[in-house]
Amino acid sequence: MYGGVNAPYIWVSTPKGTTSWEMFDRMLGEANVVITPGSGFGAMGEGWFRISAFTRAPMSKKWRSGSRR
């Protein structure tokens, strides 16, 4: 996880074997959260997604782990 220090977004790696678009679909379908697939930023962005939020790192890590609560 990177970012969030001077900007309202962070970059999070996708779980192993999951594309950034698959993660987009998962977050939207399971958590009603819209993220930005990293592949939208070019080939080097694949395997990452961007969350735009105003939250603390522990909550973001919780989302990445797939926890719903």
Side-chain angles (χ1 to χ4, degrees):
M1 185 168 56
Y2 298 95
V5 176
N6 296 311
Y9 61 85
I10 57 173
W11 286 94
V12 182
S13 62
T14 61
K16 188 174 181 173
T18 304
T19 69
S20 58
W21 276 104
E22 289 169 340
M23 194 64 193
F24 171 85
D25 289 338
R26 180 178 175 189
M27 292 291 285
L28 183 59
E30 296 179 16
N32 294 321
V33 173
V34 175
I35 61 170
T36 306
S39 61
F41 295 90
M44 296 300 294
E46 185 52 69
W48 294 85
F49 62 92
R50 190 173 82 172
I51 299 175
S52 298
F54 295 92
T55 189
R56 295 186 177 103
M59 182 59 74
S60 298
K61 289 177 184 176
K62 187 176 183 180
W63 291 334
R64 185 194 183 281
S65 72
S67 176
R68 293 186 182 187
R69 296 191 184 261

